[in-house]
């Protein structure tokens, strides 16, 4: 474990994603493909391969190195990927904002892992990135994800019609935010 790894349960670690996770992500996303279909965009088959995940992680890690994203992994005791959490679209200046996306393996849902990881993401957004706000959006029917956000201190701020193209169609989403602090923007 490194200094950025947190145990969220005795058998679950939350740590930064790395390129070496490509195979584990491909396996986990393939295993959860049907489970997540109603909440996700339609993806090409290559997305579910090691090569597709390596390309996705390469881009995410480049964004991380440029200060535009922070990707994390939920991993079980055998270091198998059981979830992914990403802050993306990090903006500086007076906005100091980022967007949060996440998923947890069907076999580990309902354990409080998503809530604990979302809280950890928000702490990193505040403490390491100096962000003021994190936003998230859920398909209006995704009550479980909405509960995660509420438990992690997010508030619903609106509903956006046709917000994202999910599961083959433009879907309405509830919009959420969590304000992290009231300090003025740094530098």
């Amino acid at each position: 474990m490194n200094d950025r790894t947190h145990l969220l349960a005795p058998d679950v670690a939350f740590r930064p994603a790395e390129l070496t996770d490509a195979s584990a992500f491909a396996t986990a996303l393939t295993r959860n493909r049907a489970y997540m279909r109603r909440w996700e965009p339609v993806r090409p088959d290559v997305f579910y391969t090691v090569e597709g995940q390596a390309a996705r992680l390469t881009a995410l890690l480049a964004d991380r190195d440029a200060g535009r994203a922070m990707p994390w992994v939920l991993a079980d005791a055998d270091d198998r990927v059981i979830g992914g959490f990403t802050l993306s679209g990090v903006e500086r200046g007076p906005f100091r904002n980022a967007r949060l996306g996440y998923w947890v393996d069907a076999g580990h849902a309902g354990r409080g892992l998503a809530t604990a990881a979302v809280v950890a993401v928000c702490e990193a957004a505040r403490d390491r990135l100096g962000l003021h706000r994190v936003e998230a959006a859920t398909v209006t029917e995704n009550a479980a994800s909405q509960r995660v956000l509420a438990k992690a201190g997010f508030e619903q701020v609106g509903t956006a019609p046709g917000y994202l193209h999910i599961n083959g169609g433009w879907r309405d989403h509830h919009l959420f935010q969590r304000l992290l602090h009231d300090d003025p923007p740094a530098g």
Side-chain angles (χ1 to χ4, degrees):
M1 275 200 283
N2 63 43
D3 68 337
R4 302 280 190 215
T5 299
H6 306 283
L7 286 179
L8 299 183
D11 61 338
V12 178
F14 180 72
R15 62 171 176 74
E18 297 298 338
L19 188 56
T20 55
D21 294 317
S23 178
F25 264 113
T27 299
L29 289 166
T30 298
R31 182 176 61 245
N32 286 277
R33 190 173 186 173
Y35 169 68
M36 295 191 318
R37 179 172 286 125
R38 60 190 167 160
W39 317 125
E40 289 285 315
V42 174
R43 311 260 193 209
D45 288 340
V46 70
F47 179 83
Y48 299 93
T49 66
V50 174
E51 296 77 16
Q53 287 305 301
R56 182 183 73 84
L57 285 167
T58 297
L60 270 175
L61 296 174
D63 282 348
R64 178 192 66 194
D65 294 345
R68 295 185 300 261
M70 291 182 82
W72 288 276
V73 168
L74 274 184
D76 68 12
D78 295 319
D79 206 33
R80 289 180 295 225
V81 171
I82 59 168
F85 292 74
T86 303
L87 274 181
S88 62
V90 173
E91 296 183 55
R92 306 292 183 181
F95 197 26
R96 308 206 61 86
N97 182 75
R99 290 182 301 278
L100 170 65
Y102 59 91
W103 63 272
V104 173
D105 187 283
H108 294 272
R111 294 179 54 192
L113 298 171
T115 300
V118 168
V119 168
V121 168
C122 289
E123 289 171 358
R126 181 192 65 224
D127 299 341
R128 294 193 358 231
L129 296 177
L131 298 182
H132 167 68
R133 178 179 178 270
V134 173
E135 63 183 67
T138 70
V139 174
T140 55
E141 298 84 22
N142 193 343
S145 191
Q146 293 159 23
R147 282 191 301 277
V148 165
L149 293 171
K151 289 179 187 175
F154 283 72
E155 63 178 325
Q156 185 177 336
V157 294
T159 300
Y163 185 69
L164 289 173
H165 200 264
I166 299 293
N167 195 21
W170 291 103
R171 305 289 305 281
D172 298 350
H173 281 63
H174 290 313
L175 307 177
F176 295 83
Q177 72 174 10
R178 178 172 168 190
L179 299 180
L180 304 173
H181 62 77
D182 289 328
D183 299 337

